[in-house]
Amino acid sequence: MTSKETIFSLFSATCARQAEQPAVKDNVASLTYAEFAALVDRMAAGLFTAGVRPGTPVALNLSRQLHLPAAILAVLRLGGIYVPLDPTAPALRRKLCLDNIGATHVVCDAPCAELGGRQLLLTDLAQTATVSLPPLPDTAEVVAVIFTSGTTGVPKGVEITETGILRLARDPRYVALLPGMRMACLSNPAFDALTFEVFGALLNGLTLCIITPDELREPSQIAHRLREDRPDAMFLTSALFNLLAELDPACFATAGQVLVGGEPVRPQSVARVYAANAESGLQLINGYGPTECTTFALCHVIRREDVPTWLVNGAIPIGTPINQTEAYVLTTEGLATPVGEVGHLYLGGAGLARGYFGQKDLTEEKFVTLASLPGQRLYDTGDLVRQASDGLIHYVGRADGQVKVRGHRIELSEIEGHLSCHPLVRDVALTVVAQRDSNQI
């Protein structure tokens, strides 16, 4: 990456090359790259008029829809920081996120009094008259803040860097993303996988095929869209993958590369899907990575011929580091573990987040420099893993109270803290039970 390459400059170059090719589509409409670029410019004009400048945090309280990626890019056009929210989450939690980062600009589908701030309606932004915008900003360090569950009961904001997103989406080696391909988009707007979907598609000339929230509620509708859109690349949480594998495994017949992650992927589901699509070119990939390493850190292509082995062993490897990423399996003393022994997973490289917004102590606790690896900034994932003799890393479990439910990271202590505030509750204890498709608390 040269010093002049930014997310937005690469997006603009893609628009120039593929002006008449489809950029985004949903179940009713489609926009070419030229039309989509014009929409981004109008929305950027509206944000600029509202006072958004380089470094301004802009919350996006939006559902997954045609205009969501345009809103993200409009913020980046001005050098702002986009803060995606889950519009289905309780208003109190969303307000905590806004207060945490000090975001006063909120782009929303409809007014939400509980959020406060200066609310900018999506429909108004999309119809803004174009104005003269300032030159494209220089490379920014932080371009997004994505909130995850926090141990104190308050969500913590992970500061995602521009370098991290470019390392994830620009010419990746863990998945093929080529002009003219199609990328399915079905991640929660506040889930870090959306960065892979949006930027993986729009920086490489793919068509982003958005599956709406209403469609996502019905597995049959998801299966219909997969057959209709024929995505060349997509990401699914393990929970949703398991559900589709159970109800309609043949729906992947026209899919290309399917990354699965968020929780350990079940070998039985993989076997069922591959068996139902024996003649297709489907390729399943186990994707692993915390938000603090910009979505993916390790990946493993699950070969059809290896499935019997994983059915016996019970677990599929999370694989090896993707491009510009380092992974270390270390003892509690920070030394390399012998092959096959369980250790703590530390990650390094271009994908690392800057830290947690406004939480210096937590940042210093989790992003560390070890004496055994001088000069390298590493993230302590809290995951226990082991590395086999073939170099593949296998997930073992957590070293703390964090769990994954439907792909979302949840600190049990956050829920316990909220429950214990109720006057009728004396003590709280939570546990996680493995269900057929996902974990349940």
Side-chain angles (χ1 to χ4, degrees), residues 124-416:
D124 293 340
L125 290 178
Q127 296 171 7
T128 303
T130 56
V131 300
S132 178
L133 295 175
L136 289 176
D138 294 330
T139 301
E141 183 177 11
V142 174
V143 294
V145 173
I146 298 178
F147 282 89
T148 65
S149 184
T151 57
T152 63
V154 178
K156 56 180 186 282
V158 182
E159 299 174 304
I160 304 298
T161 69
E162 184 158 49
T163 300
I165 289 180
L166 291 176
R167 157 267 194 190
L168 173 75
R170 178 66 169 163
D171 298 326
R173 293 198 298 269
Y174 60 95
V175 62
L177 300 177
L178 303 175
M181 285 184 169
R182 295 170 296 278
M183 169 82 80
C185 178
L186 35 62
S187 291
N188 184 299
F191 192 26
D192 63 356
L194 190 76
T195 59
F196 165 72
E197 295 170 342
V198 169
F199 298 113
L202 300 178
L203 298 189
N204 295 293
L206 284 73
T207 301
L208 187 66
C209 303
I210 297 173
I211 298 178
T212 65
D214 287 341
E215 292 174 304
L216 197 61
R217 293 189 184 99
E218 292 292 335
S220 61
Q221 287 295 311
I222 302 172
H224 171 74
R225 282 297 304 276
L226 294 183
R227 289 187 170 96
E228 182 180 80
D229 292 337
R230 305 171 65 89
D232 298 286
M234 63 183 296
F235 170 82
L236 288 174
T237 63
S238 297
L240 184 53
F241 176 76
N242 291 339
L243 181 62
L244 292 174
E246 180 71 23
L247 298 178
D248 189 0
C251 72
F252 296 102
T254 58
Q257 305 157 102
V258 178
L259 289 94
V260 183
E263 300 170 64
V265 58
R266 296 177 62 236
Q268 295 84 353
S269 296
V270 170
R272 187 176 179 86
V273 168
Y274 268 148
N277 301 281
E279 303 303 319
S280 78
L282 174 68
Q283 184 180 70
L284 300 177
I285 303 171
N286 193 12
Y288 163 90
T291 303
E292 289 85 349
C293 201
T294 317
T295 310
F296 295 129
L298 292 87
C299 282
H300 177 68
V301 175
I302 308 172
R303 300 183 304 178
R304 293 174 184 265
E305 58 268 29
D306 292 336
V307 172
T309 299
W310 307 135
L311 284 170
V312 173
N313 294 344
I316 295 172
I318 56 177
T320 55
I322 68 170
N323 40 292
Q324 301 180 63
T325 304
E326 292 83 44
Y328 301 95
V329 183
L330 306 175
T331 65
T332 53
E333 293 78 24
L335 303 176
T337 59
V339 171
E341 291 194 12
V342 174
H344 297 258
L345 179 61
Y346 288 79
L347 299 172
L352 286 195
R354 186 173 73 172
Y356 301 107
F357 183 88
Q359 299 190 57
K360 183 174 181 290
D361 291 344
L362 182 61
T363 297
E364 292 178 348
E365 175 189 338
K366 298 296 291 183
F367 294 87
V368 301
T369 300
L370 302 177
S372 58
L373 295 165
Q376 293 199 57
R377 182 171 180 262
L378 302 173
Y379 171 64
D380 177 2
T381 66
D383 287 334
L384 299 175
V385 300
R386 60 179 179 83
Q387 189 165 26
S389 57
D390 57 7
L392 295 177
I393 294 176
H394 296 249
Y395 179 81
V396 175
R398 289 289 300 175
D400 55 24
Q402 187 184 102
V403 299
K404 285 286 190 81
V405 177
R406 295 188 297 277
H408 294 275
R409 286 165 46 178
I410 295 176
E411 298 281 358
L412 294 181
S413 56
E414 179 180 353
I415 301 176
E416 290 169 346

